[in-house]
Amino acid sequence: MYKPPLYRHLIIFCLCIVFLSSSHATAQNMDTLLRELSSQMHNPVNLAKEKEAVNTLYESGKKHLNNNNVEAALVVFLQCLDKTQSLKLPKLKAKVCRKLSSIHQEVGDFDLAYSYQLQSLEIHERTSDSLGIAKSLYEIGNIFFFQQSFELALQNYSKAKKIGKQLGDSIGIYSCLGAIGSVHNRLKNIDKSLKLNLEALRLAEDMNYTEGIAYALHNTATDYYDLGNYETALDYYQKALSYKKEIGDKFDQIPTLQSLGFVYLDMSKTQQALTLFNEALELAKTIDSKHRKSEIYQSLSIAYERNNNTTEAFR
């Protein structure tokens, strides 16, 4: 059922008061009252305060995410999204959509992740925000990558890298180098992948970009592992894990713990591998990452089977 806006009720109520208090109320009096009410509804000071409150809400969501409190972050970002729409704040809405996309991507809900990222991309394109376009293309590449659509991932990463070079965005270029390297690794172009990942590592070190160094170390370790150089892979993975623990990144500690586990498994050190897989599982449970938990259970099954513990392997 249609409900008239609140301001209409306020207008009617105020007009009744005017009528009852004075039988000589004039059209001029009512015009003055209407102007005052309209002024309250469109007060720029109130609007500025609302916008400031939405920005504060967004920063609160980021803090929850940094503290690995994913559920709280999701609630806050959804509230923030609603406010950005009602207040018509497209740039902030694009950033909120990217955050929501990242959350859904991490828990394995790729359809929602893609939907939010597309909304972000559309806003960036409409506002001619080149940096925003590059970031969205990169994240869309990630969504395709984790669904093993590697050619589509490569297309989006390459577009993002091209824009990054045009803008001179070193962090964006670094991210795309690592991502493209990962695609080539999955496509079994290991030498090409190693070259790209070492380039990304050097760039991250030049920028003193701690988070970037951690990811580049992990990717480089994966290449050495695939080339059969287990000792070097072990060294790079351990360094990567150390950096990730330093920055408190629980999300990305999980794949490094798993990868370390497989190195130990291939070095016939099954107990060390099981310890690492179980550590990864506990982290995945704390952030409720469905696709990570599924991967880890498979890893544990392989480890138990190699340890001749078929009962645990098929649990």
Side-chain angles (χ1 to χ4, degrees), residues 98 124 128-136 163-164 167 169 172:
R98 274 212 310 273
H124 292 315
S128 301
D129 180 357
S130 296
L131 183 60
I133 291 170
K135 288 180 177 179
S136 288
I163 296 171
L167 297 174
D169 176 24

Side-chain angles (χ1 to χ4, degrees), residues 47-276:
L47 190 61
K49 286 182 179 179
E50 284 192 69
K51 288 180 179 179
E52 185 180 344
V54 178
N55 278 299
T56 302
L57 193 64
Y58 174 73
E59 292 301 323
S60 170
K62 284 171 61 179
K63 285 180 181 177
H64 282 306
L65 208 53
N66 290 337
N67 292 329
N68 298 294
N69 194 344
V70 180
E71 288 184 10
L74 183 59
V75 171
V76 170
F77 285 132
L78 285 171
Q79 291 173 345
C80 196
L81 181 63
D82 185 54
K83 293 290 185 183
T84 60
Q85 290 174 165
S86 62
L87 292 171
K88 297 181 180 178
L89 302 171
K91 289 186 178 180
L92 184 56
K93 180 182 176 181
K95 291 199 290 186
V96 173
C97 284
R98 274 212 310 273
K99 292 294 183 186
L100 286 167
S101 176
S102 296
I103 290 171
H104 286 292
Q105 180 185 318
E106 188 56 41
V107 299
D109 192 342
F110 296 113
D111 288 339
L112 260 179
Y114 185 64
S115 174
Y116 279 121
Q117 203 58 244
L118 275 186
Q119 289 183 57
S120 180
L121 178 61
E122 286 166 3
I123 293 169
H124 292 315
E125 288 177 336
R126 194 165 62 245
T127 57
S128 301
D129 180 357
S130 296
L131 183 60
I133 291 170
K135 288 180 177 179
S136 288
L137 287 169
Y138 173 80
E139 292 298 340
I140 289 171
N142 285 342
I143 293 166
F144 283 126
F145 179 86
F146 286 113
Q147 294 181 96
Q148 299 187 38
S149 298
F150 299 124
E151 293 298 339
L152 287 172
L154 189 59
Q155 287 175 25
N156 283 277
Y157 290 146
S158 298
K159 289 177 185 176
K161 181 170 173 262
K162 184 178 179 180
I163 296 171
K165 282 190 171 182
Q166 290 170 351
L167 297 174
D169 176 24
S170 296
I171 290 180
I173 295 167
Y174 150 80
S175 299
C176 292
L177 283 170
I180 294 170
S182 294
V183 170
H184 282 293
N185 178 278
R186 294 299 185 92
L187 295 173
K188 304 303 178 185
N189 302 324
I190 310 301
D191 289 331
K192 189 168 185 177
S193 177
L194 180 59
K195 182 181 177 180
L196 287 162
N197 284 318
L198 286 171
E199 186 180 348
L201 179 58
R202 284 193 295 271
L203 185 55
E205 289 172 339
D206 288 344
M207 293 187 291
N208 197 25
Y209 179 29
T210 306
E211 187 177 346
I213 293 169
Y215 299 150
L217 284 166
H218 175 100
N219 291 340
T220 304
T222 300
D223 291 328
Y224 281 119
Y225 172 76
D226 289 337
L227 290 169
N229 192 337
Y230 296 150
E231 292 294 343
T232 305
L234 199 62
D235 180 50
Y236 275 83
Y237 278 136
Q238 286 171 338
K239 287 177 181 175
L241 185 61
S242 177
Y243 272 103
K244 289 180 181 183
K245 285 183 175 179
E246 181 185 328
I247 60 181
D249 190 341
K250 288 187 179 180
F251 286 118
D252 280 289
Q253 285 179 45
I254 296 170
T256 303
L257 285 165
Q258 281 186 269
S259 297
L260 267 170
F262 276 109
V263 176
Y264 279 119
L265 207 55
D266 287 337
M267 294 173 75
S268 300
K269 297 180 179 180
T270 311
Q271 286 306 315
Q272 288 96 320
L274 285 168
T275 299
L276 289 161

